[in-house]
Amino acid sequence: MTQLRDDQETIYVVEPLLPEEASKHRRALNDLALELATVSAELSAALPPAVRAPLSGLVRSMNCYYSNLIEGHDTHPIDIERALRQDFSADREKRNLQLEAVAHIAVQKWIDEGGLMEHPLHPESLRELHRRFCTGLPEDLLVQKDPEGKLLPVVPGQFREGYVRVGRHVPPSPGAVPRLLAHMHRMYRMQGRLGSVLAIACAHHRLVWVHPFTDMNGRVARMVAHAMLRNTVRSEGLWSASRGLARNVGDYKARLEAADATRPGSADGRGALSEARLAEFAQFFLQCCIDQVSFMSGLMRPTELRGRIVDWARQQEVRGVVLKGSDRILRAIVTEGEIERGAVPDMLGVSDRQARKVTARLLELEALASEGPRSPLRPHFPATLASAWMPNLFPEK
């Protein structure tokens, strides 16, 4: 084991981890935390399980798209879905980004299925998230430059062993990383109901500030936020914080940088860093989350969603893309969550053979999903149909 360079920074350097209870900023932040917890739970409760599961799959691709877009990597959700089917671009750079997206989604799916056994901020959780993500990346993406311009390998799951510079910020020495992360984990997991929601926003900045890995810190920090939102506000993968951050990326990066500021005086809380700047970032982060819940709630209103899907089916029938009766099948599935295949002939007033043709085409277009040839038909939300069914979810391709 090599001895890491350690400048003996104390846990004080990352304080405050939260605006304290007596802070003038805390009441407004608590209000936002309560609002986020409330609207997120309401969205989850409003959607039947048969809709929640396929929607979370689409949101996974969307979340991946926006998180990578923040880093300047643009892989559209349609290309991400192609990559998930092992349909990769012949262009090396595009293929690399598709592989990056596949690795990202695999980690998100693992999180969503309860793979994280420890708190998301536990140092071993951080290492495991980084390891799982980086193990799936091509070699071209596993290098980073140090402050002197030397290329350094990014080792999956390994905390950095050298100094780094991020813009004007010089993160703590590599030897300090484990103790700062241990302190953050200990303090953030002790919070109560509202404090644990506020902790998601504050921990996001502090994790990026510590910069525990040679590279991929932003992606890992957003994965951690995704996991904490799942555990704390019942997000259930139905909305994406990364979409809100990416749509305000200038503000996001500026507020992250502003929260790096040292405390200017005794009127600005306690600790080495500015409480006021941390509170401003937390307010921005929580408001982005609330906006995204509201956006998804609007898209998923049952009557309006059903209307858009049925209108799409009727338009596609006129164009000869789908067969007659597709609109009735989709209306029934969005309303009821699923239908048995044996019910389709009577629903449409056609033969079994014709009913199979209608449903086969909808399955081919991924407008429906089914676990097998005799299993029930269920709704599906592919990226290829998102612009018609859920407009403005992500940019048109």
Side-chain angles (χ1 to χ4, degrees):
M1 296 287 291
T2 54
Q3 186 67 34
L4 296 180
R5 176 70 182 271
D6 191 340
D7 294 341
Q8 302 301 316
E9 299 98 327
T10 68
I11 58 175
Y12 178 80
V13 301
V14 76
E15 293 283 355
L17 295 179
L18 289 162
E20 58 187 22
E21 289 286 355
S23 167
K24 64 182 180 181
H25 308 288
R26 191 60 185 261
R27 182 174 179 179
L29 290 172
N30 283 348
D31 288 346
L32 287 173
L34 178 59
E35 182 179 357
L36 175 57
T38 302
V39 296
S40 183
E42 287 174 348
L43 172 60
S44 178
L47 298 177
V51 170
R52 286 203 299 265
L55 177 61
S56 66
L58 176 61
V59 171
R60 218 174 269 138
S61 292
M62 181 182 74
N63 194 48
C64 167
Y65 165 68
Y66 281 111
S67 185
N68 288 320
L69 189 64
I70 290 169
E71 307 298 328
H73 295 180
D74 188 350
T75 309
H76 195 276
I78 291 177
D79 292 321
I80 293 173
E81 288 190 353
R82 287 174 179 158
L84 291 171
R85 295 192 296 267
Q86 301 299 303
D87 179 8
F88 293 101
S89 171
D91 180 272
R92 178 169 178 161
E93 183 176 346
K94 290 180 179 179
R95 178 185 174 88
N96 283 346
L97 294 182
Q98 283 181 302
L99 288 168
E100 176 186 58
V102 170
H104 195 289
I105 285 178
V107 178
Q108 286 185 175
K109 189 172 187 292
W110 177 72
I111 292 170
D112 292 343
E113 292 175 349
L116 270 179
M117 304 306 293
E118 298 281 357
H119 189 281
L121 285 168
H122 191 291
E124 287 308 308
S125 295
L126 300 176
R127 288 163 58 93
E128 182 66 4
L129 288 169
H130 188 267
R131 185 190 69 77
R132 284 176 175 269
F133 179 43
C134 291
T135 298
L137 297 183
E139 290 185 7
D140 293 0
L141 300 181
L142 290 174
V143 291
Q144 180 63 288
K145 289 184 179 180
D146 69 4
E148 284 73 46
K150 179 182 176 183
L151 287 178
L152 299 174
V154 178
V155 181
Q158 180 177 295
F159 293 142
R160 61 181 167 86
E161 297 183 347
Y163 289 91
V164 291
R165 176 183 291 275
V166 185
R168 292 179 291 181
H169 173 53
V170 178
S173 64
V177 167
R179 64 174 169 273
L180 294 177
L181 294 178
H183 174 60
M184 289 166 56
H185 168 240
R186 182 171 59 252
M187 299 306 294
Y188 281 129
R189 72 176 180 176
M190 291 171 54
Q191 302 303 313
R193 179 172 177 246
L194 293 182
S196 65
V197 180
L198 177 55
I200 300 169
C202 294
H204 186 70
H205 173 267
R206 294 310 195 232
L207 186 56
V208 173
W209 186 88
V210 172
H211 202 86
F213 303 103
T214 302
D215 197 14
M216 312 297 171
N217 291 277
R219 259 76 65 91
V220 169
R222 288 186 289 275
M223 289 175 186
V224 168
H226 175 83
M228 292 178 75
L229 288 164
R230 176 183 178 273
N231 295 344
T232 307
V233 301
R234 291 183 58 196
S235 64
E236 297 192 31
L238 300 177
W239 53 273
S240 168
S242 290
R243 182 180 185 273
L245 300 175
R247 287 172 62 85
N248 299 276
V249 68
D251 266 357
Y252 173 49
K253 293 182 176 180
R255 289 176 186 275
L256 275 174
E257 182 178 354
D260 294 343
T262 55
R263 183 168 66 107
S266 58
D268 190 12
R270 301 176 184 178
L273 303 176
S274 168
E275 181 184 80
R277 300 290 85 79
L278 177 63
E280 288 171 0
F281 176 78
Q283 181 177 3
F284 166 78
F285 185 97
L286 293 173
Q287 190 60 63
C288 279
C289 289
I290 292 167
D291 290 346
Q292 291 311 300
V293 179
S294 298
F295 170 72
M296 289 303 294
S297 296
L299 277 185
M300 300 307 293
R301 289 191 188 104
T303 302
E304 296 175 19
L305 174 64
R306 185 167 57 244
R308 289 193 296 271
I309 292 175
V310 169
D311 285 347
W312 170 85
R314 289 171 177 167
Q315 291 166 8
Q316 299 310 307
E317 182 184 329
V318 171
R319 295 170 183 164
V321 176
V322 300
L323 299 177
K324 185 177 181 180
S326 296
D327 58 334
R328 279 177 280 169
I329 293 175
L330 289 171
R331 178 191 293 276
I333 286 178
V334 174
T335 303
E336 299 171 19
E338 67 176 35
I339 59 173
E340 296 293 334
R341 290 173 183 258
V344 175
D346 287 343
M347 179 190 301
L348 303 184
V350 298
S351 66
D352 290 353
R353 184 169 179 270
Q354 181 62 22
R356 286 195 296 272
K357 286 184 178 180
V358 178
T359 56
R361 181 55 177 155
L362 292 173
L363 286 164
E364 182 183 358
L365 293 171
E366 298 186 314
L368 299 179
S370 182
E371 294 177 0
R374 296 186 179 181
S375 300
L377 299 166
R378 294 175 177 167
H380 190 225
F381 299 105
T384 49
L385 301 180
S387 62
W389 291 11
M390 289 170 284
N392 301 316
L393 199 62
F394 39 75
E396 295 266 358
K397 181 171 172 60

